[in-house]
Amino acid sequence: MVSFNTQHLTDDKPGDPGYERQLSAFEARISRGDKVEPGDWMPYDYRQQLIRLIHVHANSEICGALPEGTWIPHAPSLKRKLALVAKVQDEVGHGQLLYRAAETLGKPREEMIEELISGKAKYSNVFHYPAESWADVCVIAWLIDAAAIVNQKMMADGSYGPYGRALKRICYEEAFHLTHGYDMCISLATGTRLQRDMLQDAVNRWWKPIMMFHGPSDKESKHTELLMRWGIKLRTNDEQRQEFLRKYLPKMLNLGLKIPTEWEMRFDEATKTWHYNEPQWDEFLHVVRGNGPVSAQRLETRRLSHEQGRWVREALAAAAAGKRVPLPPTAYANRG
């Protein structure tokens, strides 16, 4: 359990005595580029926005391991299998790092995990969709990790110290994942006709979720203005989407991949921006609220995993209390 300083929680809302003075000093620190640390005074809304963001990010890392994890037994070679096992382990580890960062703001890890498996908490829209083929694994590892890195590099320079430090470590590992994914996509794109078609089919399925990955357009985003005012977020959703498209869409086209015809993508040389038809943001919100094609399956898998890990939590608690450590259930079963 991570403790945090509660002495500042009485003057952190508008209207509280001293709030305006504290807010002015807080915003001056952020303007200077200082990092906010767990024991520092911070506005109530700053704390809540960070908890919301980090919680969703941690859930996304945990749930993001599921579509790729199901393909580990079906990897086409030992080399690909070993790399995928390592990647899935990394993603779960990222989730634990992020839960710890959120704990520094006062939200217990057990509460966050309970909210995830009960369906109350959100996670990234892209992990509400199924991975239907090996090519889907390749697209997730390359393009979805690329979109995530655009977001995480930006957030790593944000104002909250523990989140930024966790993200810098995560970005190092995500860079390996991205290279691994790009290599897998190159193999398929330069392979047989069947492999090229399989990769294009995966791109066709994933392009819409990828275009939605950075969240609603700036016109529709409810949180961006406040997040940027307090340096939690340094670029808007649309700016992140443009960065992703500028970096990775040319690479896709060089591999011979095509954007699905329903997307009207056009590059403006004068402004160096991509123009596109807006995603259906109502659909995005419907999916992230737990109504995606495999949302129920994802949560059921997480519930089962949580239940199967109960003996580990009980063993750790027993060891910490100096009590006899219980064996895993299978050990008792094997004794007959």
PDB file of all heavy atoms in Angstrom, residues 174-187:
ATOM      1  N   GLU A 174       8.217   0.093 -24.953  1.00  0.00           N
ATOM      2  CA  GLU A 174       7.278   0.174 -26.072  1.00  0.00           C
ATOM      3  C   GLU A 174       8.015   0.378 -27.395  1.00  0.00           C
ATOM      4  O   GLU A 174       7.541  -0.040 -28.455  1.00  0.00           O
ATOM      5  CB  GLU A 174       6.285   1.321 -25.851  1.00  0.00           C
ATOM      6  CG  GLU A 174       5.313   1.124 -24.686  1.00  0.00           C
ATOM      7  CD  GLU A 174       4.276   0.026 -24.931  1.00  0.00           C
ATOM      8  OE1 GLU A 174       4.342  -0.627 -25.983  1.00  0.00           O
ATOM      9  OE2 GLU A 174       3.425  -0.181 -24.059  1.00  0.00           O
ATOM     10  N   ALA A 175       9.181   1.036 -27.351  1.00  0.00           N
ATOM     11  CA  ALA A 175       9.952   1.231 -28.579  1.00  0.00           C
ATOM     12  C   ALA A 175      10.407  -0.117 -29.146  1.00  0.00           C
ATOM     13  O   ALA A 175      10.416  -0.317 -30.373  1.00  0.00           O
ATOM     14  CB  ALA A 175      11.156   2.122 -28.301  1.00  0.00           C
ATOM     15  N   PHE A 176      10.762  -1.068 -28.254  1.00  0.00           N
ATOM     16  CA  PHE A 176      11.102  -2.419 -28.720  1.00  0.00           C
ATOM     17  C   PHE A 176       9.864  -3.088 -29.328  1.00  0.00           C
ATOM     18  O   PHE A 176       9.952  -3.761 -30.358  1.00  0.00           O
ATOM     19  CB  PHE A 176      11.624  -3.270 -27.559  1.00  0.00           C
ATOM     20  CG  PHE A 176      13.027  -2.940 -27.151  1.00  0.00           C
ATOM     21  CD1 PHE A 176      13.286  -2.294 -25.961  1.00  0.00           C
ATOM     22  CD2 PHE A 176      14.101  -3.280 -27.971  1.00  0.00           C
ATOM     23  CE1 PHE A 176      14.582  -1.984 -25.586  1.00  0.00           C
ATOM     24  CE2 PHE A 176      15.402  -2.976 -27.606  1.00  0.00           C
ATOM     25  CZ  PHE A 176      15.645  -2.321 -26.405  1.00  0.00           C
ATOM     26  N   HIS A 177       8.730  -2.921 -28.673  1.00  0.00           N
ATOM     27  CA  HIS A 177       7.493  -3.538 -29.181  1.00  0.00           C
ATOM     28  C   HIS A 177       7.169  -3.036 -30.588  1.00  0.00           C
ATOM     29  O   HIS A 177       6.777  -3.796 -31.471  1.00  0.00           O
ATOM     30  CB  HIS A 177       6.311  -3.218 -28.256  1.00  0.00           C
ATOM     31  CG  HIS A 177       6.496  -3.694 -26.851  1.00  0.00           C
ATOM     32  ND1 HIS A 177       5.649  -3.320 -25.835  1.00  0.00           N
ATOM     33  CD2 HIS A 177       7.420  -4.524 -26.300  1.00  0.00           C
ATOM     34  CE1 HIS A 177       6.059  -3.902 -24.706  1.00  0.00           C
ATOM     35  NE2 HIS A 177       7.132  -4.621 -24.973  1.00  0.00           N
ATOM     36  N   LEU A 178       7.330  -1.723 -30.751  1.00  0.00           N
ATOM     37  CA  LEU A 178       6.998  -1.117 -32.049  1.00  0.00           C
ATOM     38  C   LEU A 178       7.913  -1.681 -33.146  1.00  0.00           C
ATOM     39  O   LEU A 178       7.453  -2.029 -34.241  1.00  0.00           O
ATOM     40  CB  LEU A 178       7.153   0.398 -31.941  1.00  0.00           C
ATOM     41  CG  LEU A 178       6.696   1.232 -33.131  1.00  0.00           C
ATOM     42  CD1 LEU A 178       6.242   2.619 -32.654  1.00  0.00           C
ATOM     43  CD2 LEU A 178       7.823   1.428 -34.132  1.00  0.00           C
ATOM     44  N   THR A 179       9.201  -1.787 -32.844  1.00  0.00           N
ATOM     45  CA  THR A 179      10.147  -2.329 -33.828  1.00  0.00           C
ATOM     46  C   THR A 179       9.813  -3.778 -34.159  1.00  0.00           C
ATOM     47  O   THR A 179       9.850  -4.203 -35.318  1.00  0.00           O
ATOM     48  CB  THR A 179      11.584  -2.230 -33.270  1.00  0.00           C
ATOM     49  OG1 THR A 179      11.855  -0.863 -32.951  1.00  0.00           O
ATOM     50  CG2 THR A 179      12.593  -2.731 -34.282  1.00  0.00           C
ATOM     51  N   HIS A 180       9.455  -4.526 -33.109  1.00  0.00           N
ATOM     52  CA  HIS A 180       9.038  -5.920 -33.284  1.00  0.00           C
ATOM     53  C   HIS A 180       7.797  -5.992 -34.179  1.00  0.00           C
ATOM     54  O   HIS A 180       7.729  -6.817 -35.107  1.00  0.00           O
ATOM     55  CB  HIS A 180       8.765  -6.497 -31.888  1.00  0.00           C
ATOM     56  CG  HIS A 180       7.895  -7.688 -31.826  1.00  0.00           C
ATOM     57  ND1 HIS A 180       8.281  -8.926 -32.258  1.00  0.00           N
ATOM     58  CD2 HIS A 180       6.622  -7.836 -31.355  1.00  0.00           C
ATOM     59  CE1 HIS A 180       7.302  -9.785 -32.062  1.00  0.00           C
ATOM     60  NE2 HIS A 180       6.297  -9.157 -31.518  1.00  0.00           N
ATOM     61  N   GLY A 181       6.831  -5.119 -33.941  1.00  0.00           N
ATOM     62  CA  GLY A 181       5.610  -5.115 -34.749  1.00  0.00           C
ATOM     63  C   GLY A 181       5.870  -4.713 -36.189  1.00  0.00           C
ATOM     64  O   GLY A 181       5.304  -5.298 -37.125  1.00  0.00           O
ATOM     65  N   TYR A 182       6.729  -3.707 -36.371  1.00  0.00           N
ATOM     66  CA  TYR A 182       7.059  -3.254 -37.728  1.00  0.00           C
ATOM     67  C   TYR A 182       7.747  -4.382 -38.503  1.00  0.00           C
ATOM     68  O   TYR A 182       7.440  -4.624 -39.677  1.00  0.00           O
ATOM     69  CB  TYR A 182       7.965  -2.029 -37.626  1.00  0.00           C
ATOM     70  CG  TYR A 182       8.238  -1.314 -38.941  1.00  0.00           C
ATOM     71  CD1 TYR A 182       7.279  -1.260 -39.946  1.00  0.00           C
ATOM     72  CD2 TYR A 182       9.454  -0.668 -39.172  1.00  0.00           C
ATOM     73  CE1 TYR A 182       7.525  -0.601 -41.152  1.00  0.00           C
ATOM     74  CE2 TYR A 182       9.709  -0.005 -40.362  1.00  0.00           C
ATOM     75  CZ  TYR A 182       8.748   0.024 -41.346  1.00  0.00           C
ATOM     76  OH  TYR A 182       8.988   0.678 -42.521  1.00  0.00           O
ATOM     77  N   ASP A 183       8.644  -5.096 -37.835  1.00  0.00           N
ATOM     78  CA  ASP A 183       9.345  -6.210 -38.476  1.00  0.00           C
ATOM     79  C   ASP A 183       8.350  -7.292 -38.899  1.00  0.00           C
ATOM     80  O   ASP A 183       8.458  -7.863 -39.989  1.00  0.00           O
ATOM     81  CB  ASP A 183      10.379  -6.782 -37.498  1.00  0.00           C
ATOM     82  CG  ASP A 183      11.169  -7.930 -38.103  1.00  0.00           C
ATOM     83  OD1 ASP A 183      11.923  -7.682 -39.060  1.00  0.00           O
ATOM     84  OD2 ASP A 183      11.016  -9.074 -37.632  1.00  0.00           O
ATOM     85  N   MET A 184       7.356  -7.574 -38.037  1.00  0.00           N
ATOM     86  CA  MET A 184       6.360  -8.596 -38.387  1.00  0.00           C
ATOM     87  C   MET A 184       5.519  -8.138 -39.586  1.00  0.00           C
ATOM     88  O   MET A 184       5.193  -8.939 -40.466  1.00  0.00           O
ATOM     89  CB  MET A 184       5.462  -8.883 -37.182  1.00  0.00           C
ATOM     90  CG  MET A 184       6.188  -9.596 -36.049  1.00  0.00           C
ATOM     91  SD  MET A 184       5.072 -10.306 -34.816  1.00  0.00           S
ATOM     92  CE  MET A 184       4.342  -8.829 -34.117  1.00  0.00           C
ATOM     93  N   CYS A 185       5.169  -6.850 -39.617  1.00  0.00           N
ATOM     94  CA  CYS A 185       4.365  -6.342 -40.736  1.00  0.00           C
ATOM     95  C   CYS A 185       5.168  -6.354 -42.035  1.00  0.00           C
ATOM     96  O   CYS A 185       4.623  -6.663 -43.113  1.00  0.00           O
ATOM     97  CB  CYS A 185       3.859  -4.930 -40.432  1.00  0.00           C
ATOM     98  SG  CYS A 185       2.518  -4.901 -39.213  1.00  0.00           S
ATOM     99  N   ILE A 186       6.467  -6.039 -41.961  1.00  0.00           N
ATOM    100  CA  ILE A 186       7.315  -6.099 -43.159  1.00  0.00           C
ATOM    101  C   ILE A 186       7.354  -7.528 -43.695  1.00  0.00           C
ATOM    102  O   ILE A 186       7.258  -7.766 -44.905  1.00  0.00           O
ATOM    103  CB  ILE A 186       8.735  -5.590 -42.838  1.00  0.00           C
ATOM    104  CG1 ILE A 186       8.712  -4.079 -42.592  1.00  0.00           C
ATOM    105  CG2 ILE A 186       9.699  -5.924 -43.979  1.00  0.00           C
ATOM    106  CD1 ILE A 186      10.039  -3.524 -42.119  1.00  0.00           C
ATOM    107  N   SER A 187       7.470  -8.508 -42.781  1.00  0.00           N
ATOM    108  CA  SER A 187       7.518  -9.919 -43.204  1.00  0.00           C
ATOM    109  C   SER A 187       6.262 -10.306 -43.964  1.00  0.00           C
ATOM    110  O   SER A 187       6.330 -10.980 -45.010  1.00  0.00           O
ATOM    111  CB  SER A 187       7.694 -10.840 -41.992  1.00  0.00           C
ATOM    112  OG  SER A 187       8.939 -10.630 -41.384  1.00  0.00           O
TER     113      SER A 187
END
